[in-house]
């Protein structure tokens, strides 16, 4: 009897086990087709779409057209195919001209719909090269180099060639294979040197003792050529005038103290004064005022900063004018070249020149109406 019971229990267990395995197998079989079938059907449906899809045409990027554009300037009508990343380096933040120029790149970038990243070289060659490496790391599409150190410019040019990154040099040349945006020395000499000599002729006749030239030869040939052109223009009127040159070193205090030393060494006589940049011209002019020599001086400068425009309108000033290179439009001038190149591969001209127009008290309202003093 016990043996029979044992046999009966064994049969019950075997049947139960078989029923459990069959149920689990059946459940798995019933679920898997429900998961796989829609996936297989979806893949079958999607394949024809992927095979027949055509490549999309580049879609123009819409910038912020509400941004105020600069006056007395025709904005180029162009739209980027992509929101390109464009890196612009500036000489240093102590240069008011460079700061204004960088603002113009930012504003124009927002207007056109491209990403503009401004990096400060801090007046340092190592930092200038580092900034390019950072631009390469972030995969910039285009590079604008505003670096005053010629040695660094050589390294930057070589690296740009290695990575095949398109670029434009600003103020200081990178090489014959890179477009070059600068003030034409002959134009600046004609625009600032000739009016200076004419003003001196009108005020002093032939009674001019010396000519002070505030340059910046350390910045390379652009500033040096600009100074040479101004000297040439003045010597066309005063061929025998004594020329006294000194460097601003891109520093207002150096500009002021240098002028003070010159006036101490030349305590008498009428003179002409030319400066390569308003910021340093104005600093040097403080020494002229402090020495009580304004009546014995006539001066011109370059850049047309707001502070210089105010000085030109001041009663009793000896500053007759400043040549505007309009840094407030540099970005608006240059970005369309970069966008057209990136969109279409359009070659950028090698020689690109900054505006060159003498701003005086008489034409201030026409060029900079917002700067006219009440």
């Amino acid at each position: 009897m016990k043996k029979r019971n044992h046999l009966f229990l064994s049969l019950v267990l075997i049947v139960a086990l078989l029923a459990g395995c069959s149920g689990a197998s059946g459940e798995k079989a019933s679920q898997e087709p429900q998961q796989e079938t829609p996936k297989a059907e979806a893949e079958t449906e999607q394949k024809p779409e992927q095979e027949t899809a055509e490549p999309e045409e580049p879609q123009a990027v819409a910038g912020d057209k509400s941004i105020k554009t600069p006056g007395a300037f025709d904005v180029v009508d162009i739209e980027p195919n992509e929101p390109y990343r464009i890196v612009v380096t500036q000489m240093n933040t102590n240069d008011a001209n460079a700061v204004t120029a960088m603002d113009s790149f930012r504003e124009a970038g927002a207007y056109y719909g491209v990403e503009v990243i401004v990096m400060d070289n801090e007046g340092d060659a190592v930092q200038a090269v580092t900034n390019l490496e950072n631009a390469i790391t972030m995969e910039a599409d285009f590079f604008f180099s505003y670096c005053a150190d010629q040695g660094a410019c050589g390294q930057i040019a070589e690296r740009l060639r290695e990575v095949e990154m398109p670029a434009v040099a600003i103020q200081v040349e990178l090489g014959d294979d890179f477009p070059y945006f600068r003030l034409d020395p002959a134009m600046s000499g004609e625009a600032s040197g000739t009016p200076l000599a004419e003003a001196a002729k009108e005020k002093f006749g032939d009674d001019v003792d010396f000519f002070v030239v505030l340059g910046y030869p350390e910045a390379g040939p652009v500033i040096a050529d600009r100074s040479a052109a101004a000297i040439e223009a003045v010597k066309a009127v005063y061929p025998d005038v004594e020329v006294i040159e000194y460097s601003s070193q891109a520093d207002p205090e150096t500009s002021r103290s240098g002028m003070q030393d010159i006036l101490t060494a030349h305590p008498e006589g009428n003179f002409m004064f030319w400066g390569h940049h308003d910021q340093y011209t104005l600093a040097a002019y403080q020494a002229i005022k402090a020495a009580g020599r304004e009546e014995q001086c006539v001066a011109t400068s370059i850049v047309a900063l707001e502070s210089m425009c105010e000085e030109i309108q001041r009663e009793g000033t000896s500053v007759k004018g400043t040549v505007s290179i309009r840094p407030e439009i540099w970005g608006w001038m240059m970005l369309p070249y970069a966008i057209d190149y990136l969109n279409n591969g359009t070659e950028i001209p090698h020689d690109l020149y900054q505006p060159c127009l003498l701003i005086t008290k008489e034409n201030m309202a026409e060029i900079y109406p917002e700067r006219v003093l009440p």
Side-chain angles (χ1 to χ4, degrees), residues 9-79:
L9 288 173
S10 297
L11 286 171
V12 170
L13 287 171
I14 291 169
V15 170
L17 286 170
L18 288 173
C21 290
S22 174
S25 176
E27 182 181 354
K28 184 176 181 182
S30 66
Q31 287 177 355
E32 286 180 353
Q34 291 176 1
Q35 292 175 351
E36 291 179 356
T37 302
K39 183 178 179 183
E41 288 175 357
E43 289 176 352
T44 305
E45 290 174 1
Q46 290 173 3
K47 271 187 178 181
E49 291 182 10
Q50 292 174 349
E51 290 174 358
T52 58
E54 296 181 359
E56 293 183 2
E57 290 292 327
Q59 298 296 312
V61 176
D64 184 359
K65 297 303 186 284
S66 67
I67 291 175
K68 184 180 179 182
T69 58
F73 177 74
D74 295 327
V75 175
V76 177
D77 184 13
I78 190 170
E79 292 183 331

Side-chain angles (χ1 to χ4, degrees), residues 159-314:
R159 191 74 174 103
L160 286 167
R161 295 184 190 104
E162 288 176 4
V163 299
E164 298 183 345
M165 181 179 290
V168 168
I170 299 176
Q171 293 289 57
V172 180
E173 192 172 17
L174 288 174
D176 292 339
D177 47 341
F178 292 97
Y180 184 20
F181 180 58
R182 79 279 194 188
L183 180 65
D184 183 274
M187 290 172 62
S188 65
E190 177 66 26
S192 58
T194 299
L196 175 61
E198 290 174 347
K201 199 75 171 178
E202 181 180 345
K203 186 174 182 179
F204 307 125
D206 294 330
D207 185 19
V208 176
D209 293 274
F210 57 98
F211 173 30
V212 180
V213 176
L214 176 61
Y216 184 27
E218 298 89 342
V222 172
I223 306 288
D225 290 349
R226 187 186 301 176
S227 300
I231 293 171
E232 182 180 355
V234 166
K235 277 187 165 289
V237 179
Y238 291 96
D240 301 321
V241 71
E242 178 188 2
V243 178
I244 303 170
E245 296 186 69
Y246 77 107
S247 174
S248 71
Q249 298 181 24
D251 177 63
E253 177 54 28
T254 299
S255 303
R256 188 203 63 78
S257 62
M259 177 61 79
Q260 181 178 345
D261 292 343
I262 290 170
L263 296 180
T264 299
H266 298 75
E268 300 293 337
N270 301 321
F271 64 99
M272 295 173 286
F273 171 43
W274 178 91
H276 76 91
H277 190 297
D278 285 347
Q279 184 173 3
Y280 312 116
T281 304
L282 285 169
Y285 196 72
Q286 294 305 310
I288 295 173
K289 289 198 292 185
R293 301 286 293 274
E294 280 191 281
E295 284 300 318
Q296 294 178 297
C297 173
V298 289
T300 59
S301 184
I302 291 179
V303 173
L305 295 178
E306 287 190 37
S307 52
M308 180 58 85
C309 289
E310 291 178 6
E311 176 61 33
I312 290 170
Q313 299 174 78
R314 183 177 64 82

